[in-house]
């Protein structure tokens, strides 16, 4: 016998019970993004490798060791599975001239991203990000709005214990002056640098501050602070963001070591961090990236955004007990039938009920009434529609409650109304509040 195949390590199947929770979450997130004026942008999962090298930066964890890159077997083009979403959004905005032709754009994306990391809880090789990108906005107002909208989402999801960390990375010139100070500081302590940091010392010393090596903590803690190199404009921008957040009642901590693992950021950078998920505690991160579009060959364009790790947000949502009303689809009614005439009626009846908005499971695979009723019971449906020869001959159907109550027999034309009555009571249709969508299961 051949060996059974498994999913690629670090890449997960999301099974139906779990995927239903994802869909509920995605519905909430779509509504939330829409309420802030963000519009969807869907870009390819594969992009030319140089896009990420240029956007994210050569001396970053992602580009140095985490990208799934390969050559197109047919034409040798160098391609990469996207390790994040911002570069693709910026590329698409430039390619289609989105901002020049339509003014500033609020965009969002949602989908899988790929990084070759060591798989562990909260860290996968295929994971999912939802990101918002505001292109063409220069002021601190959009930075604040991006933060405020996240705070509102956490509230909407009932997530507790997410704290906000902020920093300002200043402008390119300010970072250059800070960088000079950093290089001379780390040069002085060369013997305490690990291999990664030694390599980054010349190329990108700011990255050293982003180290995850606990042995270097003290050294990094005492390093020169970027805050001491910020000019008036950067300082004012950062102050304004903080002012708007205070106004909105959103607590935050300024963390001078927050530099983010990607090169494209400047000025405001943010991370939302929780202590409830163990080591992988950052659920959402982002900031301003005014230089990115120009770096990719577009006209200079200020921009800011964030990306959240869907797996981590969902883990927190589950942990907070707020997902208990979601998942596990059950039909409103299970349709059982016996015989050829009854089959025609059953298919017809099922579609009639679906037209009214009901969720209908039509029995497939034949078998006796007894075995069909067992399946009906197993489906969790509160009702079964039963169509035998008798009913078929009369053009009628029987509705049988599976959790107690009397059976009813009605003509096909009266079926949908009768089912709604039996599910929700006589007044159901008058009190229907979901905007004429017909019947819903309730819940969120
Ligand atoms: P980390 O420091 O945890 O490696 P990062 O700085 O590399 O995160 P970003 O590039 O900012 O992460 O990505 C945004 C979000 O995506 C993170 O805050 C996190 O929630 C999530 N994320 C990043 N890498 C992974 C991964 N390998 N598996 C699952 N989620 C991830
Ligand atoms: Mg990372």
């Amino acid at each position: 016998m051949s060996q059974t195949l498994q999913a690629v390590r670090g890449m997960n199947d999301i099974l139906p019970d779990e995927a239903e929770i994802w869909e509920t979450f995605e519905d909430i997130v779509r509504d939330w993004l829409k309420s802030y004026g963000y519009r969807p942008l869907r870009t390819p999962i594969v992009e030319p490798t140089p896009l990420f090298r240029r956007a994210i930066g050569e001396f970053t964890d992602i580009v140095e060791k985490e990208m799934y890159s390969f050559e197109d077997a047919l034409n040798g083009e160098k391609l990469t599975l996207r390790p994040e979403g911002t570069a693709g959004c910026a590329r698409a905005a430039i390619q289609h001239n989105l901002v020049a032709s339509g003014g500033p754009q609020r965009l969002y994306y949602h989908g899988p991203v790929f990084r070759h990391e060591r798989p562990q809880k909260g860290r996968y090789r295929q994971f999912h990000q939802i990101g918002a990108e505001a292109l063409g906005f220069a002021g601190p107002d959009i930075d604040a709005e991006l933060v405020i909208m996240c705070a509102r989402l956490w509230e909407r999801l009932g997530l507790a214990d997410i704290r906000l960390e902020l920093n300002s990375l200043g402008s390119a010139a300010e970072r250059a002056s800070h960088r000079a100070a950093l290089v001379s500081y780390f040069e002085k302590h060369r013997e305490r640098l690990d291999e990664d940091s030694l390599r980054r010392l010349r190329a990108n010393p700011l990255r050293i501050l982003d180290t995850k090596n606990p042995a270097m903590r003290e050294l990094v803690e005492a390093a020169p602070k970027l805050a001491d190199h910020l000019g008036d404009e950067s300082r004012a921008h950062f102050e304004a963001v903080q002012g708007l957040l205070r106004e909105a009642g959103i607590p935050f901590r300024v963390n001078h070591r927050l530099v983010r693992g990607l090169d494209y950021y400047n000025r405001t950078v943010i991370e939302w961090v929780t202590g409830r998920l163990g080591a992988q505690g950052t659920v959402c991160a982002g900031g301003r990236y005014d230089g990115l579009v120009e770096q990719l060959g577009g006209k200079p364009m200020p921009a800011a955004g964030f990306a959240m790790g869907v797996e981590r947000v969902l883990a927190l949502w589950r942990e907070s007990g707020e997902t208990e009303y979601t998942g596990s689809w059950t039909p409103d009614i299970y349709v059982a039938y016996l015989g050829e005439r009854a089959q025609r009626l059953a298919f017809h009846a099922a579609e009639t009920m679906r037209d009214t908005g009901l969720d209908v499971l039509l029995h497939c695979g034949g078998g006796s009434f007894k075995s069909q009723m067992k399946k009906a019971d197993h489906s969790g449906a509160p009702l079964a529609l039963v169509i035998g020869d008798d009913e078929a001959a009369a053009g009628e159907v029987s509705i049988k409650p599976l959790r107690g109550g009397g059976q009813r027999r009605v003509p096909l034309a009266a079926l949908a109304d009768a089912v709604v009555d039996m599910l929700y009571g006589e007044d159901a249709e008058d009190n229907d509040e979901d905007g004429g969508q017909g019947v819903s299961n309730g819940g969120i």
Side-chain angles (χ1 to χ4, degrees), residues 263-280:
D263 273 356
Y264 51 59
Y265 290 108
N266 68 305
R267 290 204 170 157
T268 321
V269 285
I270 65 140
E271 280 195 2
W272 290 95
V273 188
T274 179
R276 291 196 178 202
L277 295 177
Q280 310 330 318

Side-chain angles (χ1 to χ4, degrees), residues 27-40:
D27 288 346
I28 293 172
V29 165
R30 255 192 297 274
D31 282 352
W32 161 72
L33 285 161
K34 209 167 139 222
S35 79
Y36 286 85
Y38 282 79
R39 301 180 64 207

Side-chain angles (χ1 to χ4, degrees), residues 401-420:
L402 297 171
R403 324 263 172 250
Q407 177 164 333
R408 276 164 74 174
R409 181 165 162 157
V410 297
L412 188 61
L415 169 62
D417 281 351
V419 169
V420 170

Side-chain angles (χ1 to χ4, degrees), residues 4-15 68 119 125-126:
T4 53
L5 294 169
Q6 306 272 316
V8 175
R9 194 162 120 80
M11 304 198 182
N12 300 311
D13 297 310
I14 302 162
L15 302 180
Y68 280 91
R125 290 178 173 175
Q126 175 179 319

Side-chain angles (χ1 to χ4, degrees), residues 62 115 117 122-124 127 129 212 260-262 271 280 282-285 307-309 312:
I62 293 180
R115 296 185 193 175
E117 304 196 65
R123 192 173 290 288
Y124 311 104
F127 61 102
Q129 287 187 338
K212 292 197 167 81
R260 309 285 305 113
L262 306 88
E271 280 195 2
Q280 310 330 318
T282 308
V283 294
C284 178
M308 69 183 79
R312 294 187 193 172

